[in-house]
Amino acid sequence: MAVPAPRTVRTVAAALSAALAATLLATATATATAPARAERQHRRPPHTWTVTEAAHAPGARIALDDTTGALSLAVSRDGRTVIEPSPLGILAQQADLSQGLRFLHRKDRAVDERYRAKSGKRLDRRVRMNETRLSFATAAGARLDLVVRAAADGIAYRYVLPAGYGDVLGETSAFNLPSDAGAWLSTYRVDNEGRFNQYTAATAPTGEYSDQALFATDGGYTLLAESDLTGTYSGARLAHTQGTGTYRVELADSRVHTDGSLTTPWRAMITGDLATVTGSTFTDDLAPASKVADTSWIRPGTALWTWLAGGRTAGQSLGAQEAYVDYAAAHHWPYEAVDSGWYFKKDEWDVTDPDWRTDSWMPQLVDYARAKGVGIIVWIHQRDLDTPEERAEWLPTLERWGVKGVKIDFMNSEAQSMFQWYDTVLAQTAAHHLMVDFHGATLPKGIQRTWPQVMSMEAVGAEEKRTNTAAHLTTLPFTRNVIGSMDFTPGGFQRVGLRPNSDAAEAGLTVAYESGLQMFAGTPESYDQRPLARDFLDQEPAAWDDTRLLAGSPGQEAVLARRSGERWFLGGVYAGAAHTATVPLAVGRGRWLVQTIRDGADGLAQDSQVLHGGDDLRIDVVADGGFAGIACPWHPGVTTCYR
């Protein structure tokens, strides 16, 4: 037992001697290479995390800079740039959560959901996303969670803050685009009714733009958007300085009031090829599930909108409105929309009379329309629904009369206080079984999934505008209408000289533009003068089983196909010179009877042909023109797609 001991002592002594020599060598080496090591440490790559749904789907790369503690997010697709590294961060009264962050932990989960919508590009939806939650803290202990979701058609992120940090003072969030990226932007307006114009990311003028901005890079197309915006936060817009590709997120409020913890809206990037972007339901998929348990009373449909059809003058009387109801009933249009003026002083009643609502002709009109199978939608100003007392007076009254929906106008604000009003009126219209069409409004930021009674929202430079261009009309399917139903009110055939397109293009808009309440803006006389367009409108539904982009280029052409049952409705709009358009009939295998309406030498003309699925449909298009059509399965004996 005494023999091993000396060996152990000698072994330890040798080890200590070797360690001392190594230490001396390391010290000498460190002294000689200290500057190089410091340089390597300074250049040390940041912490990075990636989130993607599948190999060829868009992927997010989140980075934490080890020097500044600042976060950034970049998006790529198939190895190509979509969004360059862009800053993340949020500023609160009690914490700066845009820098000085250190990583704590990561949590991943899969999101797999199914839901059925009441309107939109398709009724049945499947959601597959991968979600990563990254937790960070500052040196002072302030916490920030960054939640990132990745789907086949987009990337989104949001911030989660615990309670105790006070009001939000702003975000450092931004989107960095390659300077030469194509850009289709709408100058910001509180009613979101700006016209879209084309630039590059860097050449767009200095100013503020709507957050529904479309960009084209070598990674495809990307549409910026928001989802799940409620009264807990403030609406956003994009601020840009000419000469850069940076678009900063600016909030409508300089201070966002916060009680307790906060989860911000999603900042969404819908990305892919143009067909993927156009057909995306990403902003709906990000939103919370429906808060309306029984949706059986919510029925999308087409409507005769009487404002541009004559409602500005003689339309606000019982007799005139009954005539419009008669026309809607004759053409099986399920709704008639009575616009501004019906509840102000007219020759039918006097609102100075305390019993004026009892004396109103609206209940008579509703009864008259009901007997003919037509529902009534009424316009009402937001200022008449902005207090609890007014809502308690109006909404039950309209429900009792049997009104089917309300078209609420002139919110004209993206402030937190207005979104708190939206939260209230959405719950109350659902409780009173009133469908809703918002005008002078915010954008549909996922609202139609959570509150399916919202059939449509304006938030667009629409039919009433006299400054629209054909290029603007061909951009809307790739921008505004991507993110939710759009009440453009197409079909204003009588507005010759006030609209930039042809009659066939105007008919095509009723398909190219999706709206759960598709309000036709024409006069009965204008429809009767164009029987081909009128008969086409008679066929149209307002809820779709599927949507596909057949051909498109923002600002130049947009051809969409929307399916209802076995029939595909086609709508094409173009900007530019007359030409023969070539459109792939990508609606499925088999043989199809295709009936199209185009501009002829003496007015509208109709053509019929039988094509195989995937064949090219060729159609003559006039300058700034378009077409409308229906495709249905063909077999011997089938001569028309009309019912």
Side-chain angles (χ1 to χ4, degrees):
M1 296 294 297
V3 176
R7 285 204 300 268
T8 302
V9 172
R10 287 195 297 269
T11 301
V12 172
L16 289 173
S17 176
L20 177 60
T23 300
L24 292 173
L25 178 62
T27 302
T29 304
T31 302
T33 62
R37 176 175 295 177
E39 184 177 357
R40 285 199 303 273
Q41 288 177 342
H42 180 71
R43 293 180 178 177
R44 195 169 45 179
H47 294 307
T48 60
W49 304 267
T50 59
V51 188
T52 190
E53 192 269 334
H56 297 287
R61 181 178 182 271
I62 305 98
L64 177 65
D65 189 287
D66 282 348
T67 302
T68 64
L71 287 166
S72 65
L73 183 144
V75 179
S76 62
R77 179 171 171 264
D78 287 333
R80 298 180 177 180
T81 299
V82 173
I83 302 288
E84 294 179 341
S86 303
L88 304 174
I90 187 168
L91 307 174
Q93 281 180 292
Q94 307 299 326
D96 178 353
L97 297 167
S98 67
Q99 59 184 338
L101 299 172
R102 58 184 176 84
F103 175 65
L104 298 178
H105 53 80
R106 170 178 180 165
K107 184 178 181 180
D108 297 309
R109 75 182 184 101
V111 178
D112 193 340
E113 301 171 342
R114 293 182 184 270
Y115 68 98
R116 184 168 174 84
K118 297 297 292 190
S119 58
K121 299 168 197 175
R122 62 191 58 86
L123 299 181
D124 289 314
R125 313 279 181 89
R126 178 72 181 272
V127 181
R128 288 191 179 97
M129 301 182 191
N130 285 334
E131 179 184 288
T132 291
R133 189 181 187 108
L134 301 171
S135 296
F136 303 92
T138 67
R143 294 284 299 273
L144 172 71
D145 282 4
L146 174 69
V147 183
V148 182
R149 283 189 179 180
D153 54 347
I155 299 291
Y157 69 85
R158 71 193 322 176
Y159 306 118
V160 180
L161 284 67
Y165 296 162
D167 295 346
V168 171
L169 305 181
E171 295 185 23
T172 57
S173 313
F175 301 95
N176 288 334
L177 282 302
S179 60
D180 60 350
W184 292 265
L185 306 173
S186 171
T187 300
Y188 180 77
R189 293 171 42 141
V190 292
D191 58 7
N192 294 289
E193 295 178 19
R195 191 177 74 195
F196 279 90
N197 293 299
Q198 183 175 356
Y199 311 96
T200 66
T203 60
T206 296
E208 293 183 338
Y209 296 94
S210 170
D211 65 342
Q212 49 170 332
L214 179 69
F215 297 94
T217 67
D218 65 352
Y221 288 84
T222 299
L223 180 70
L224 305 182
E226 278 187 297
S227 182
D228 193 18
L229 174 59
T230 69
T232 63
Y233 211 64
S234 177
R237 64 199 69 166
L238 300 174
H240 174 250
T241 301
Q242 191 172 36
T244 74
T246 299
Y247 289 78
R248 304 182 310 279
V249 173
E250 287 195 354
L251 302 180
D253 297 290
S254 59
R255 181 186 293 263
V256 179
H257 182 65
T258 302
D259 286 325
S261 60
L262 172 68
T263 299
T264 69
W266 292 103
R267 304 255 168 263
M269 293 150 278
I270 305 167
T271 189
D273 58 23
L274 202 57
T276 298
V277 171
T278 307
S280 173
T281 59
F282 189 51
T283 52
D284 282 347
D285 297 344
L286 288 166
S290 173
K291 295 185 177 182
V292 182
D294 175 17
T295 62
S296 60
W297 53 275
I298 304 171
R299 297 185 179 92
T302 55
L304 174 58
W305 181 48
T306 61
W307 184 246
L308 291 184
R312 291 174 182 267
T313 54
Q316 306 308 327
S317 68
L318 178 60
Q321 293 298 329
E322 287 178 341
Y324 290 129
V325 167
D326 290 343
Y327 195 85
H331 294 278
H332 305 289
W333 299 350
Y335 298 107
E336 189 240 2
V338 183
D339 215 276
S340 175
W342 67 269
Y343 65 100
F344 294 107
K345 183 176 180 180
K346 293 292 175 183
D347 55 2
E348 297 291 334
W349 79 92
D350 185 346
V351 295
T352 61
D353 179 351
D355 296 323
W356 74 271
R357 285 186 178 82
T358 303
D359 298 335
S360 168
W361 48 256
M362 184 53 71
Q364 293 173 257
L365 178 65
V366 173
D367 290 343
Y368 182 85
R370 183 188 297 113
K372 292 178 173 286
V374 176
I376 297 296
I377 311 293
V378 298
W379 181 96
I380 191 167
H381 200 295
Q382 187 272 341
R383 68 187 173 207
D384 294 310
L385 294 172
D386 64 351
T387 68
E389 294 76 17
E390 287 168 332
R391 292 189 293 273
E393 181 178 26
W394 270 116
L395 299 180
T397 297
L398 295 173
E399 181 184 25
R400 185 174 66 253
W401 286 351
V403 167
K404 298 299 182 183
V406 286
K407 179 178 176 179
I408 309 175
D409 207 344
F410 294 113
M411 280 65 70
N412 290 350
S413 173
E414 300 280 320
Q416 182 183 25
S417 59
M418 185 57 71
F419 283 102
Q420 291 169 345
W421 174 86
Y422 277 114
D423 293 345
T424 299
V425 82
L426 286 164
Q428 293 182 354
T429 52
H432 291 289
H433 301 97
L434 293 168
M435 295 185 294
V436 182
D437 176 8
F438 287 115
H439 270 228
T442 188
L443 298 160
K445 304 170 188 286
I447 194 172
Q448 290 180 277
R449 180 182 182 185
T450 309
W451 297 103
Q453 82 272 20
V454 178
M455 291 286 91
S456 195
M457 303 178 79
E458 189 181 28
V460 66
E463 187 73 68
E464 290 180 90
K465 303 296 181 186
R466 301 190 179 193
T467 57
N468 283 345
T469 64
H472 171 70
L473 301 187
T474 59
T475 303
L476 291 175
F478 311 114
T479 51
R480 165 61 184 86
N481 211 189
V482 170
I483 59 175
S485 291
M486 179 177 76
D487 194 14
F488 185 90
T489 66
F493 292 101
Q494 76 278 12
R495 294 173 61 80
V496 176
L498 299 178
R499 52 182 169 86
N501 58 346
S502 71
D503 279 357
E506 191 69 16
L509 289 181
T510 65
V511 177
Y513 297 166
E514 183 275 321
S515 179
L517 280 176
Q518 188 67 286
M519 295 198 180
F520 299 144
T523 64
E525 295 77 16
S526 71
Y527 296 134
D528 290 341
Q529 291 164 5
R530 299 165 177 83
L532 288 177
R534 179 198 62 204
D535 295 347
F536 178 78
L537 299 184
D538 291 351
Q539 297 293 310
E540 281 193 71
W544 304 103
D545 296 311
D546 198 6
T547 292
R548 294 182 185 177
L549 177 69
L550 301 186
S553 179
Q556 299 178 42
E557 68 171 339
V559 183
L560 283 93
R562 302 189 192 273
R563 182 174 64 83
S564 176
E566 291 188 327
R567 297 190 298 174
W568 287 90
F569 288 75
L570 313 177
V573 291
Y574 296 82
H579 66 288
T580 299
T582 301
V583 178
L585 190 67
V587 296
R589 297 179 179 178
R591 303 181 75 180
W592 297 86
L593 173 62
V594 184
Q595 295 178 271
T596 52
I597 299 168
R598 59 177 172 82
D599 296 291
D602 300 314
L604 294 175
Q606 186 175 58
D607 301 310
S608 295
Q609 54 186 310
V610 176
L611 297 173
H612 285 90
D615 286 352
D616 285 340
L617 170 66
R618 290 181 173 83
I619 189 165
D620 292 334
V621 175
V622 302
D624 295 337
F627 71 94
I630 306 177
C632 61
W634 180 88
H635 53 80
V638 173
T639 59
T640 182
C641 293
Y642 286 53
R643 296 172 181 169

